[in-house]
């Protein structure tokens, strides 16, 4: 009885597995599945190519439209964003074509859940992108403007989605993140066609400030590049230690080159007219007094070198020392 059961169990044992046959079977199934999916893959590729061409045309059209309206940087950023969004959607639909069981809604939901982690990981990039779009839409400055941001000053070369590119006046490029530009004070020197410049001039106290101001004003008005309207002016501005300060103010073209060169011409014109008219342009001077602070000479103006004039009758000392007070003697 036992022997019969063992024989029956042995007859039901499966034959040993052939590894080679198993591999061949799996490859055969994979190949059959691939060839079965070839129409879907071909359709997905054709779909992607068509969407790519359409997105490319829309990107160029968007850029051309905004370039004609004088906003090329905004057109470049928005065109790139539109192209990227269309290609992402195209890839999702292509995946649904290749794998019919895949639902694009499920993929979008998964991306929505993962967008929180992506947002934290790319926080700075997304912040600069949003700041760049706001700068391009609000347009506080444009390409070619001369601006000052923090410690940097130069001409705006390009406004990208991530940063603003400045070319400094000494020929260097500065890349400033858009978030820094958007949250920092920005001075746009070329926001208007004309700009006022000024320079302080010191004259001697022996000169007449009102008459000197008229002379300087006439010289500045003749400088090429100084605007007649608004007219230049020279104002009495201060009574300093060594001179009377006159402030010259004039208007010129707002570009950096004109401002610098016209200031040089104004300074030269003021110097030349001052030399011609004999107007004193003093410089700060200092007087150093040497004091012999010793017990023997303290209070004696004939020996102390304090700038007092020499002579037999020097000014009276500030005080007398105890030894200089005559002592009265009495006799018994």
């Amino acid at each position: 009885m036992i022997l019969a059961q063992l024989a029956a169990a042995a007859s039901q044992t499966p034959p040993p597995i052939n590894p080679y046959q198993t591999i061949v079977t799996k490859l055969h199934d994979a190949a059959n599945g691939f060839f079965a999916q070839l129409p879907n893959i071909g359709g997905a590729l054709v779909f992607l190519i068509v969407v790519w061409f359409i997105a490319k045309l829309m990107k160029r059209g968007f850029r051309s439209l905004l370039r004609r309206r004088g906003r090329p940087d905004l057109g470049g950023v928005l065109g790139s964003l539109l192209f990227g969004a269309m290609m992402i959607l195209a890839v999702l639909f292509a995946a649904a074509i290749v794998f019919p069981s895949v639902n694009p809604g499920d993929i979008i939901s998964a991306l929505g859940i993962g967008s929180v982690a992506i947002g934290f990981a790319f926080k700075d990039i997304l912040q600069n992108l949003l700041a760049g779009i706001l700068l391009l839409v609000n347009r506080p400055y444009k390409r070619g403007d001369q601006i000052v941001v923090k410690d940097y000053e130069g001409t705006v070369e390009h406004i990208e989605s991530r940063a603003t590119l400045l070319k400094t006046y000494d020929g260097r490029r500065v890349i400033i993140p858009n978030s820094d530009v958007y949250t920092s004070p920005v001075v746009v020197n070329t926001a208007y066609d004309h700009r006022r410049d000024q320079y302080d001039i010191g004259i001697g106290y022996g000169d007449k400030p009102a008459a000197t101001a008229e002379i300087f004003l006439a010289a500045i008005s003749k400088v090429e590049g100084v605007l007649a309207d608004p007219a230049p002016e020279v104002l009495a501005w201060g009574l300093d230690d060594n001179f009377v300060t006159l402030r010259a103010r004039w208007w010129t073209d707002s570009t950096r080159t004109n401002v610098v060169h016209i200031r040089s011409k104004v300074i030269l014109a003021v110097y030349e007219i001052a030399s011609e008219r004999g107007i004193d342009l003093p410089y700060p001077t200092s007087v150093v007094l040497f004091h012999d602070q010793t017990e023997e000479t303290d209070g004696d103006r004939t020996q102390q070198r304090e700038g007092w004039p020499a002579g037999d009758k020097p000014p009276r000392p500030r005080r007398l020392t105890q030894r200089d007070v005559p002592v009265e003697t009495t006799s018994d």
Side-chain angles (χ1 to χ4, degrees), residues 88-112:
I88 290 174
L89 292 176
V91 170
L92 293 178
F93 281 100
I97 293 174
V98 175
F99 307 103
S101 60
V102 176
N103 187 0
D106 297 337
I107 300 177
I108 295 175
S109 300
L111 291 176

Side-chain angles (χ1 to χ4, degrees), residues 180-242:
D180 292 346
V181 179
Y182 191 77
T183 56
S184 301
V186 179
V187 179
V188 184
N189 289 326
T190 53
Y192 304 100
D193 295 334
H194 302 129
R195 172 182 170 187
R196 192 185 72 186
D197 198 6
Q198 65 184 30
Y199 187 78
D200 289 343
I201 309 164
I203 64 172
Y205 274 95
D207 296 303
K208 301 295 183 181
T212 305
E214 293 294 333
I215 295 173
F216 287 165
L217 180 60
I220 294 172
S221 301
K222 296 178 182 178
V223 174
E224 182 181 0
V226 174
L227 299 179
D229 185 21
E233 54 186 355
V234 179
L235 306 173
W237 206 256
L239 301 175
D240 296 317
D241 295 336
N242 303 286

